[in-house]
Every structure is written in C-alpha cells, then in structure tokens.
C-alpha cells in the first residue's frame, strides 16, 4: 500500500509528491516538480547510469551493487563447485560472461560489472600470484628491491588478458544498452600494497617501510602500475566498457600527507591520460574508509566518488561539491536486516544524495551469506523510486 505523507513533504522542494510504505515515514518514491538546479535533458538510448553521471535528467537514481556477482548467489556457488579455482573462473571468457550476467538475469541492475579481480594484470607484469580459497591473494615473490622492480613489465592487456576484452565485447551485446557495462582496475598504491606485502595485510608495515625508508623504489613501482592501469582502462573502454571503476582500497591506510605523495599524483596521471583518449568515459573512484580524504579524492579529476557507509551521504555531497557525482553508500550489513529496514535505509540515502548525479550502491561489496531475497528487495525498492 502506498500513501502520501504530507508531514515529510513539507521539508522537500515545493510541488513535491512522495510515496511511503504504510509501515514507514520514509518515502519509497518522490516526484519532484521543482528543483534547485535545472537538469540537462535526457539523452535517448543511453543507459540510465551514464545519463545520471553526466548530470542529464533521470527519473530515478541508477542502481548496481559492488560484488553483485558473487558467493551470496546460489547460481554462483554452483559454478564454484564445478570450477573451484577463482583464477579459472575469472580468466575463462565463457565463465566470466556467465558470472557477470547472473545478477543481470535475476535483478536487472543498471550497471553490469565485469567479473574479474584487480590483481588479474599481475601475471602479465611478471608478478606471479594466485588467489587461494580461504586465504585470498598470494604473491609468490613479494617486491622489496629496485632489482625486483626492474623485472616488472609494463602491462599490455591485449597480449596478457585478451579474455577481458572478449568478455566485455560479449557483455555489451548481451546487455544491449539496457544497462551500462562496467570495467574496473586497481589503483597503483593498492596494487603495490599487495605485491609488497605479499597479499592482504592488517598493518601494512612492509609497504610503509618501503615508502618511508626507500621511497624511490616505491615510486618506481607505482609509476609502472600507473602506466599499465591507464592502458588497461583504455583497453577495457575500447572493448565495450562504458564506465570504469578504480579501486584504491588501501590508500586510506595512508595519512593525508602520504596520500598526496604515494596515491594522489598517480591517480591524477591515470585519469589525465584516459581523459585525453576517452574524454567521455565516466571514471569512478572507490576507496573504503575514505572519510578523511574526500576532498583529496575530488582532486584526482574523477567523474564519480564512491562513498563507503562511514560517510554520511549528505556530508559527502557537501564536501565533494556539485560537480562530482556520488555513488553509494548503504552499509552492506543492512542487507541482513528486515525488508522494511532495507527500504528505510535506501530512501534515507537517496534523500540525502538529492536529485541527480547519484548512483545508488552499497558502501562496499555484498557480504558472503547475504540473503539473496534481500538483494532482490534492494533492487525492487531502488527501481521503484521516482524523483
């Protein structure tokens, strides 16, 4: 049952109509007939997500979820039983396409992201690795010396990961512009953290020791990742990706002053390089726990900053300014709650984000064990919203 709650609409722009669940004072959807900023007219034929990022008028925020293809889905678990190696699942064209499309077939998100991993390019850079079940990434020969950095090759994606380009091309045909096909890469500092630490880390002592005692070595490694990831983004775009997300998951382990030395300039270089060759390609930047760095993330030149759930969406909007789109930022743990609770949190996020230039998402990836029916409810509610 939907009803209009006039108490809430008094706080919205003039001539607004909002719809509410009968069990909640938070709107399920709002129709705004007057807004502060005049949106651009809709571009026909373009996916909703691209229009929203570009500031074009949209009827609702587009929605997709990080790790929407993954272990919470029974269909994915079935594939894992047959193909237990993550690298096999993520480096086989047919499997990559099948897994990427699993959430598309069930939930019809507005973004279909390539099933892959940020470490996928490492083998092509002469950095042997594996992703071990129950342990995560394992770098077989962690990098600590200048001689090791010299052995790192710059990445040529068409030679090292042709399956990525093939999968993206197929995804574009399958999705047929009904959603945006998304690619992604790892940011230089995050990739360097993995290869220096030897895998995941809790305290990042090895990468920080290198940064603070032999920074020249780290800068050399970061530059190789920078050149390679810029090329990888261009390759993904040339093969069908309509937007690309950059994951700088570990940059927030740096203090602001160290972020300005070891992450920010390399992110800027990637974005400047890509924008020269692909000026209309939306670039999204995600860094978990980034509340202390938001203003600096905006300096990278990205089109979208993806917020984690520890940042209030309204505060994030204010701090980033009106020219940058935002993504996020519902706590993934919310998906363990009741359907009413999930609905309330979605609406709170959308209300705080305001109209336009917002991609509804989680503040991190979907957690293992999340009820699949709750993910379905998230998409159902999100797609019923109207500005």
């Amino acid at each position: 049952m939907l009803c209009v709650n006039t108490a809430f609409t008094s706080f919205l722009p003039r001539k607004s109509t909002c719809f509410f669940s009968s069990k909640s004072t938070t709107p399920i959807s709002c129709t705004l007939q007057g807004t502060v900023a005049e949106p651009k007219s809709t571009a026909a034929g373009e996916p909703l997500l691209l229009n929203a990022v570009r500031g074009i008028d949209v009827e609702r925020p587009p929605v997709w979820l990080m790790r929407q293809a993954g272990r919470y889905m029974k269909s994915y678990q079935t594939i894992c039983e047959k193909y237990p190696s993550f690298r096999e699942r993520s480096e086989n064209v047919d499997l990559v396409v099948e897994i990427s499309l699993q959430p598309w077939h069930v939930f019809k998100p507005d973004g279909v992201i390539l099933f892959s991993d940020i470490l996928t390019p490492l083998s092509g850079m002469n950095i042997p690795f594996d992703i071990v079940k129950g342990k995560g990434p394992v770098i077989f020969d962690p990098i600590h010396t200048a001689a090791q950095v010299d052995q790192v090759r710059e990445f040529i994606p068409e030679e090292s990961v042709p399956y990525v380009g093939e999968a993206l091309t197929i995804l574009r045909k399958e999705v047929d512009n009904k959603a945006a096909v998304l690619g992604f890469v790892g940011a230089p500092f995050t990739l360097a953290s993995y290869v220096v630490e030897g895998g995941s880390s809790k305290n990042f002592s090895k990468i920080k020791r290198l940064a603070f005692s032999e920074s020249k070595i780290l800068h050399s490694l970061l530059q190789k990742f920078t050149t390679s990831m810029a090329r990888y983004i261009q390759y993904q775009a040339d093969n069908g990706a309509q937007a690309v997300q950059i994951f700088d998951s570990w940059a927030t382990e740096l203090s602001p002053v160290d972020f300005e030395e070891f992450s920010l300039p390399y992110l800027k270089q990637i974005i400047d390089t890509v924008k020269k060759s692909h000026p209309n390609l939306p670039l999204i930047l995600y860094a978990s726990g980034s509340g202390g760095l938001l203003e600096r993330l905006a300096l990278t030149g990205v089109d979208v900053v993806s917020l984690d759930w520890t940042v209030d969406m309204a505060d994030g909007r204010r701090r980033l300014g009106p020219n940058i789109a935002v993504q996020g930022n519902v706590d993934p743990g919310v998906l363990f709650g009741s359907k009413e609770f999930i609905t309330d949190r979605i609406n709170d996020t959308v209300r705080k984000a305001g109209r336009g230039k917002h991609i509804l998402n989680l503040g991190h990836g979907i957690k293992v064990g999340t009820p699949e029916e709750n993910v379905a409810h998230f998409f159902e509610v999100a797609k019923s919203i109207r500005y």
Side-chain angles (χ1 to χ4, degrees):
M1 173 181 175
L2 295 178
C3 58
V4 177
N5 186 322
T6 55
F8 182 88
T9 56
S10 64
F11 294 98
L12 290 164
R14 191 165 50 87
K15 296 183 181 177
S16 302
T17 303
C18 290
F19 297 94
F20 298 74
S21 164
S22 58
K23 297 181 180 179
S24 174
T25 59
T26 307
I28 288 178
S29 62
C30 294
T31 301
L32 306 185
Q33 297 169 328
T35 55
V36 176
E38 196 65 36
K40 301 174 186 176
S41 59
T42 301
E46 286 276 37
L48 180 69
L49 186 148
L50 301 186
N51 285 337
V53 170
R54 292 166 180 157
I56 295 171
D57 189 27
V58 292
E59 65 179 6
R60 63 171 175 84
V63 56
W64 71 280
L65 302 181
M66 286 184 274
R67 292 185 184 163
Q68 64 188 17
R71 288 175 287 176
Y72 74 98
M73 295 190 77
K74 291 182 176 61
S75 55
Y76 179 75
Q77 294 168 16
T78 300
I79 288 180
C80 291
E81 291 171 3
K82 188 174 182 180
Y83 304 97
S85 166
F86 179 87
R87 288 196 60 182
E88 182 177 9
R89 295 194 298 273
S90 62
E91 297 178 12
N92 175 292
V93 174
D94 293 337
L95 292 176
V96 168
V97 170
E98 181 179 354
I99 294 168
S100 301
L101 289 175
Q102 283 180 340
W104 167 248
H105 293 316
V106 179
F107 309 121
K108 288 294 186 289
D110 297 301
V112 175
I113 192 164
L114 175 77
F115 179 77
S116 186
D117 193 86
I118 63 170
L119 301 185
T120 293
L122 293 188
S123 292
M125 299 183 72
N126 196 32
I127 305 174
F129 81 102
D130 201 358
I131 298 177
V132 180
K133 184 176 181 180
K135 187 173 183 180
V138 176
I139 309 300
F140 296 128
D141 189 15
I143 293 175
H144 302 128
T145 68
Q148 288 177 298
V149 174
D150 288 342
Q151 295 301 309
V152 175
R153 295 193 298 261
E154 289 188 357
F155 184 53
I156 303 176
E158 53 268 30
E159 294 180 3
S160 300
V161 292
Y163 50 86
V164 168
E166 292 175 39
L168 286 167
T169 300
I170 295 169
L171 288 174
R172 273 296 294 273
K173 292 177 182 177
E174 290 288 332
V175 176
D176 193 28
N177 247 23
K178 296 180 178 68
V181 172
L182 310 175
F184 70 93
V185 303
F189 182 79
T190 291
L191 294 174
S193 295
Y194 278 110
V195 303
V196 172
E197 295 287 340
S200 300
S201 178
K202 291 184 177 180
N203 52 32
F204 296 88
S205 59
K206 295 175 183 176
I207 185 80
K208 290 189 177 183
R209 181 183 295 117
L210 191 63
F212 302 148
S213 66
E214 297 185 272
S215 61
K216 186 176 179 180
I217 295 175
L218 179 56
H219 280 300
S220 179
L221 179 61
L222 290 169
Q223 185 57 56
K224 287 194 172 184
F225 279 130
T226 298
T227 303
S228 297
M229 291 308 103
R231 183 178 291 141
Y232 194 25
I233 293 174
Q234 292 166 327
Y235 172 77
Q236 291 186 26
D238 289 342
N239 284 277
Q242 293 166 286
V244 176
Q245 181 155 310
I246 303 168
F247 286 88
D248 208 352
S249 309
W250 304 131
T252 51
E253 294 294 328
L254 294 168
S255 68
V257 66
D258 294 320
F259 176 82
E260 290 176 354
E261 179 176 355
F262 296 107
S263 182
L264 179 59
Y266 298 104
L267 289 168
K268 278 183 59 64
Q269 189 181 144
I270 288 173
I271 290 152
D272 289 345
T273 299
V274 172
K275 287 298 183 181
K276 286 177 184 176
S277 60
H278 298 76
N280 297 318
L281 178 72
L283 297 175
I284 306 166
L285 177 59
Y286 174 79
S288 56
S290 60
L293 297 172
L294 281 190
E295 290 81 2
R296 289 170 174 83
L297 297 185
L299 297 176
T300 61
V302 290
D303 303 284
V304 186
V305 170
S306 189
L307 303 175
D308 79 349
W309 72 95
T310 64
V311 178
D312 181 83
M313 176 57 79
D315 290 343
R317 272 289 208 193
R318 175 181 52 78
R319 291 171 60 189
L320 289 167
N323 296 323
I324 295 182
V326 292
Q327 179 174 269
N329 68 334
V330 177
D331 183 342
V334 165
L335 292 174
F336 290 104
S338 68
K339 289 181 171 56
E340 290 80 8
F341 183 69
I342 295 169
T343 299
D344 285 348
R345 287 301 179 90
I346 291 171
N347 288 321
D348 179 67
T349 298
V350 172
R351 176 176 59 83
K352 288 178 176 177
R355 177 168 187 158
K357 284 205 163 190
H358 174 221
I359 302 169
L360 181 60
N361 205 315
L362 300 176
H364 200 282
I366 298 177
K367 294 181 178 293
V368 177
T370 297
E372 198 167 337
E373 62 269 22
N374 285 3
V375 176
H377 179 74
F378 189 103
F379 279 109
E380 181 182 352
V381 171
K383 296 179 81 170
S384 73
I385 291 171
R386 294 294 179 271
Y387 285 130

